[in-house]
Amino acid sequence: MTVVRREVLTLPGAALGPVNPLPPLRPLADVHQSHEPDERAKKDMPLDMARQLGHQPLRSVLPERIRDGYGRERAPLDLDTVVIENDRLRVTVLPGLGGRIASLFHKPTGRELLHRNPVFQPAAFALNGAWFSGGIEWNIGATGHSTLSCAPLHAARVTAPDGTEMVRLWEWERLRDLPFQVDLWLPDGSDFLYVGVRVRNPHEKPAPVYWWSNTAVPEERRVLAPAREAWHFGYERELRRVPVPEYGGTDRTYPLNSEFAADYFYEIEDGRRRWITALDDAGQGLVHTSTDVLRGRKLFLWGSGSSGRRWQEWLTEPGTGGYAEIQAGLARTQLEHVRLEPEGEFSWLEAYGPLETDAAAVHAADDWDAAVHEVERRLEQALPRARVEAAYEEWRPHADTEPGQRLAVGSGWGALEVLRTGWKPAGTPFDESTLGEEQAPWRELLETGVFPEPRRVGAPGPTLTARAWRNMLETAPARPLSEYHLGVAQWHAGDRAQAVRSWERGLELAASDWPFLRCLAVADATDDHLERAADRYADAFDDLCAERRDTGEAWVTVTAALGREAIEALLAVGRPAQARQVWDGLHAATRARGRFRLLEAHLLLAEGDAAAARSVFESGFEVADLREGAEVLGEMWARVAPGEPVPARYDFRMRPGPAVRDGS
C-alpha cells in the first residue's frame, strides 16, 4: 500500500538568513523579459501567443520582500520532508521550500529519476531572490522562478481517488492574489506519480496566470518532445522560431551541444499528446506527460561554455554532475501570462515516471521523427494517454476534499484574505490559527479601521498592496505608519505622485525618519533627481545609525540593506567621501560579505585607488546574491584590470560577447 510519512533530510546547506526589510520599490529587472518583438516576429507568432506576451507583465515583486540574507558558508542542515512511497516509487517532498520534490527514486531499477542536488545553496534566481537548484519545482505568479521557491507551503494528508493517501500542498500566491493547490497522488503499484494542480481566481476581475512545472534532470541526456519547431530564447532576450532538432548546424536536443544557456519552447501541434523526456545513452530516463491544459513544453540548458559550468558549480559543489531542465506550462512560452476569468479556475493532471526505450532509435542522428515515434510508442505502453485523462477525472472530485492531518504549515496571508473576503476555498483551508505577527496589524486595520503604531522602534513590517487594502489605508487615520504603508501601496499601483505625498505627510509626524527618507530617495532616483536622492539616502542612513539599539540581527540587516543603497546612490553622483562615511557606519560582519567586498572595490575606484580595488579581487570574494544573468563582476574587473581576461571565478556571463577567460 502507498504510505505517507514525515522524515528529516540532513545535508550541507547555507541558512536562508533574514529577509531584506526594505520594500522593493524599484521596477523588476528580469533577464527573462523579452525585447519588444519587431513586426516581422509578431507576424510569425500565433495570435494567442502575441496577445499573451503583453498580458499584464509583472512590474514589481510587492507585496513580497527580497530574500538576500543567505551566504555561501554551509553547515549540516535539517530539512523536514514528506515521503510518499509505494512498492515502485519513493517521492521526497520539501514542504518548507516551496513544496519542491527533491527526489523521485524508482525502486525496481535503483535509479534516481531527477537531478538531486547534494547541497542546499540558495542563489538569486527567484523573482524575490532566494532559489535553489534540483528536483521538481512549482512556479506560479509571473515570468521567472516563484517567490515561494524558499517559502513554506501548507501540507496535509488527503484521501486519494483509489482510497490511499495523497499529499496536498497549498498556499495563497501573493503577486497575483490567487490560491493554488498541488495534489501528489501515488497509486498503489504505480510507476508514475500523478500531480493534480488547481489555480483559482476568487476575484471579480480576470487575473493573469503563470504556471510552469520545472524538472531538473542530468544534462548528459537527449531531450525529446513531439515538435518540429521551437521558440528559442537566450540571454540576448530575443524570441525567435527555430527548427528542431538541429539549429545553427548543431543538434540542440543534447544540452551539452550548446555553448551558452538558452530556452527552447517546443511548438506542439494541437491535439497531439503533450510530453517531454530526457533519456540517457541506454535510452532510459524520466518522462513527463499531462492533460492538454498544460500545453507548453520546454528545455532549459546551461550549455558547455565556461560560464555555464561556473553557474552550475555555483548552485551546487564541484564534482556534482550538471543538469538541464524539462518543463511544462500553461502557455507556449514563459514570457506569456494566461487570462483566468473571475471566479474561474485552471486544473490539470501531470504524471512523472521512468521510461525505457530503444537507445538506437531515440539517439538516431538522422531520423528525428522515428525517435519521437519510439518515445510515443513506449510512453503509450507504460502510461496510456487515456489513463492520464481518466486519472484526471478520478482526481477532480477529490480536489475539494477537506485535508486531514496537517503535515506542514505555510504562511498566514491566505487566512488574512479569508477573513477579509469571507471566501472559504473548498479543499484548501486557510485556518485563522496560521495568522502571525506579520498579519496582526493588518487584521487590526481590517477590524477597527486603524493601522496600529509600533510599540518599539524598528523597520516597518511588510505592506499589503492590493486595492482593497489600499482603500482601507486611505480611510484610516493619518498616522505615520499608515501613511508609510499607503505610500508603498500607491507606488505599487503606479500613483507615484500620491505616494510621495503620503511619505512626506508621514515624515512630518514620524519618530523614525529613515523609512520615509529611503522611500523618497527611491522616488527621486526614479525621476532622475540623483543629487537629491543621494542627500536623502545620506540623511536616512544617519537617522538609522542614531536610532539603532544593538547589534542584533534585525538592526544589522536593515543597516546593511540601507547602507548598500546609500553608498551606490552617493557613488552615482560622484561623492565618494560621503560614501566612505556610510561604509564606516556598517557593521564589520557586513563589510566582510562578498556583496560588500564588491561595493568596496567600487568605492576604492571612486577614490582613485585602482590598485587597492584590484587587490580586493585578487584576495577573492563571492557575491552570494549574484543575480541570474548578472555581468557586474566582469564589468568591474574590466575597470580594475583593463584589457586583462576575466578570471574564471568571476566569469558568469550567460550570452555570447567579447568576454574572455584565462582558465584559472
Side-chain angles (χ1 to χ4, degrees):
M1 291 290 291
T2 300
V3 297
V4 174
R5 63 181 182 274
R6 283 184 282 197
E7 291 186 354
V8 174
L9 172 65
T10 302
L11 44 72
L16 280 169
V19 175
N20 190 318
L22 304 181
L25 300 176
R26 290 181 172 82
L28 185 68
D30 186 7
V31 296
H32 300 290
Q33 292 178 345
S34 174
H35 293 306
E36 179 68 23
D38 58 29
E39 291 304 315
R40 180 178 178 181
K42 287 181 179 179
K43 290 180 181 179
D44 195 36
M45 292 178 183
L47 290 177
D48 61 335
M49 178 179 170
R51 180 179 64 253
Q52 290 171 174
L53 284 174
H55 182 53
Q56 296 189 39
L58 194 69
R59 303 300 183 194
S60 165
V61 297
L62 283 166
E64 293 284 2
R65 295 287 187 91
I66 302 299
R67 302 208 68 150
D68 59 2
Y70 52 87
R72 301 278 301 169
E73 299 76 29
R74 300 180 193 141
L77 189 67
D78 291 337
L79 300 176
D80 292 330
T81 71
V82 174
V83 175
I84 314 166
E85 185 171 10
N86 65 8
D87 61 336
R88 312 289 294 178
L89 283 178
R90 183 168 62 246
V91 185
T92 303
V93 186
L94 302 173
L97 294 169
R100 182 81 58 101
I101 295 180
S103 173
L104 192 63
F105 184 77
H106 189 235
K107 295 159 72 173
T109 60
R111 288 192 288 124
E112 173 61 57
L113 300 179
L114 308 177
H115 170 80
R116 184 170 185 175
N117 197 334
V119 303
F120 175 70
Q121 179 55 64
F125 277 56
L127 290 167
N128 64 334
W131 170 90
F132 64 106
S133 67
I136 304 172
E137 60 177 302
W138 320 111
N139 288 304
I140 181 174
T143 300
H145 293 283
S146 172
T147 59
L148 296 168
S149 294
C150 288
L153 304 189
H154 301 283
R157 300 174 188 264
V158 183
T159 301
D162 59 356
T164 62
E165 285 186 322
M166 63 182 178
V167 172
R168 175 162 301 157
L169 306 166
W170 74 97
E171 245 305 353
W172 195 283
E173 199 285 315
R174 301 177 66 211
L175 296 183
R176 304 300 195 182
D177 258 341
L178 302 176
F180 71 96
Q181 71 188 75
V182 177
D183 286 356
L184 305 176
W185 171 26
L186 182 58
D188 189 36
S190 174
D191 279 311
F192 284 83
L193 172 69
Y194 295 153
V195 180
V197 182
R198 177 165 63 167
V199 181
R200 287 181 277 187
N201 178 12
H203 307 297
E204 297 177 351
K205 292 185 177 182
V209 174
Y210 172 93
W211 183 281
W212 282 80
S213 303
N214 293 9
T215 304
V217 293
E219 64 185 354
E220 298 86 359
R221 300 288 187 269
R222 190 180 204 190
V223 174
L224 299 98
R228 270 291 188 176
E229 292 184 314
W231 297 92
H232 171 274
F233 185 76
Y235 287 82
E236 307 92 335
R237 298 172 63 178
E238 293 180 357
L239 190 65
R240 57 181 179 272
R241 192 193 294 261
V242 300
V244 175
E246 187 175 301
Y247 164 54
T250 301
D251 187 338
R252 306 291 175 172
T253 62
Y254 293 90
L256 289 173
N257 281 358
S258 296
E259 181 181 4
F260 290 97
D263 301 328
Y264 290 90
F265 300 100
Y266 294 110
E267 185 67 67
I268 300 176
E269 295 176 1
D270 289 343
R272 193 159 188 177
R273 185 174 187 180
R274 301 186 183 277
W275 55 265
I276 189 168
T277 187
L279 302 174
D280 63 16
D281 290 343
Q284 301 176 339
L286 174 78
V287 67
H288 172 276
T289 188
S290 71
T291 50
D292 289 353
V293 168
L294 203 66
R295 66 166 303 162
R297 293 297 184 274
K298 170 193 161 183
L299 162 64
F300 166 75
L301 55 88
W302 282 106
S304 59
S306 61
S307 57
R309 300 299 91 195
R310 182 71 181 105
W311 274 113
Q312 297 247 36
E313 291 178 359
W314 185 253
L315 297 172
T316 178
E317 62 181 3
T320 302
Y323 75 94
E325 290 181 353
I326 56 175
Q327 307 181 12
L330 282 174
R332 283 180 173 84
T333 75
Q334 289 174 330
L335 310 178
E336 303 169 62
H337 297 92
V338 182
R339 177 186 171 106
L340 178 57
E341 296 301 329
E343 301 181 355
E345 68 175 52
F346 291 134
S347 64
W348 63 89
L349 188 100
E350 307 177 39
Y352 297 81
L355 189 68
E356 294 191 9
T357 65
D358 179 80
V362 297
H363 290 287
D366 55 355
D367 199 338
W368 173 251
D369 290 337
V372 169
H373 176 72
E374 167 66 7
V375 173
E376 288 184 322
R377 183 177 68 85
R378 296 297 185 109
L379 174 58
E380 188 65 20
Q381 291 174 352
L383 184 65
R385 185 179 188 179
R387 177 64 197 124
V388 175
E389 298 289 345
Y392 170 73
E393 296 300 330
E394 293 165 12
W395 164 75
R396 189 62 189 82
H398 290 259
D400 286 341
T401 300
E402 287 304 300
Q405 180 195 14
R406 298 300 197 268
L407 300 170
V409 178
S411 78
W413 296 114
L416 187 66
E417 288 302 315
V418 168
L419 276 180
R420 183 183 67 80
T421 63
W423 184 63
K424 299 187 183 300
T428 56
F430 294 96
D431 299 332
E432 191 171 330
S433 62
T434 63
L435 292 167
E437 183 179 348
E438 288 188 329
Q439 292 83 40
W442 297 95
R443 181 177 187 175
E444 187 168 335
L445 173 65
L446 177 66
E447 294 176 347
T448 69
V450 178
F451 197 94
E453 286 295 302
R455 294 185 177 90
R456 59 183 185 273
V457 296
T463 303
L464 293 181
T465 55
R467 179 183 292 275
W469 293 104
R470 190 170 75 248
N471 290 344
M472 281 184 257
L473 288 169
E474 287 175 345
T475 58
R479 297 177 175 179
L481 199 54
S482 61
E483 293 290 345
Y484 166 85
H485 287 299
L486 176 58
V488 174
Q490 290 167 331
W491 182 271
H492 177 260
D495 195 347
R496 287 166 31 186
Q498 285 289 0
V500 168
R501 282 193 281 272
S502 295
W503 291 326
E504 288 175 340
R505 285 196 303 269
L507 181 61
E508 293 176 358
L509 305 171
S512 296
D513 292 350
W514 66 264
F516 299 90
L517 290 170
R518 183 266 176 176
C519 290
L520 291 168
V522 173
D524 285 333
T526 302
D527 290 335
D528 290 327
H529 301 309
L530 302 185
E531 291 285 353
R532 191 167 66 198
D535 289 339
R536 280 178 160 156
Y537 265 122
D539 290 343
F541 190 79
D542 287 345
D543 184 66
L544 172 62
C545 289
E547 179 179 282
R548 67 189 188 195
R549 297 293 188 263
D550 52 45
T551 57
E553 181 181 78
W555 289 109
V556 172
T557 300
V558 72
T559 302
L562 182 57
R564 174 179 165 182
E565 291 186 10
I567 291 171
E568 291 171 345
L570 289 162
L571 292 180
V573 293
R575 289 152 64 173
Q578 279 186 283
R580 175 61 69 179
Q581 291 175 355
V582 174
W583 174 266
D584 292 339
L586 298 173
H587 296 88
T590 298
R591 293 196 295 264
R593 291 169 52 189
R595 168 60 67 179
F596 288 85
R597 294 284 285 156
L598 176 62
L599 191 57
E600 182 184 19
H602 192 181
L603 176 56
L604 288 166
L605 273 176
E607 292 172 332
D609 195 345
R614 176 169 180 151
S615 71
V616 172
F617 276 81
E618 291 175 342
S619 65
F621 62 88
E622 292 183 315
V623 180
D625 61 329
L626 191 68
R627 289 294 299 180
E628 178 186 5
E631 298 177 2
V632 62
L633 290 174
E635 293 168 354
M636 184 61 72
W637 175 260
R639 293 182 61 191
V640 303
E644 295 187 32
V646 180
R649 67 181 302 176
Y650 300 124
D651 181 14
F652 290 88
R653 188 177 178 86
M654 297 175 71
R655 60 191 174 98
V660 290
R661 307 161 178 85
D662 67 2
S664 61

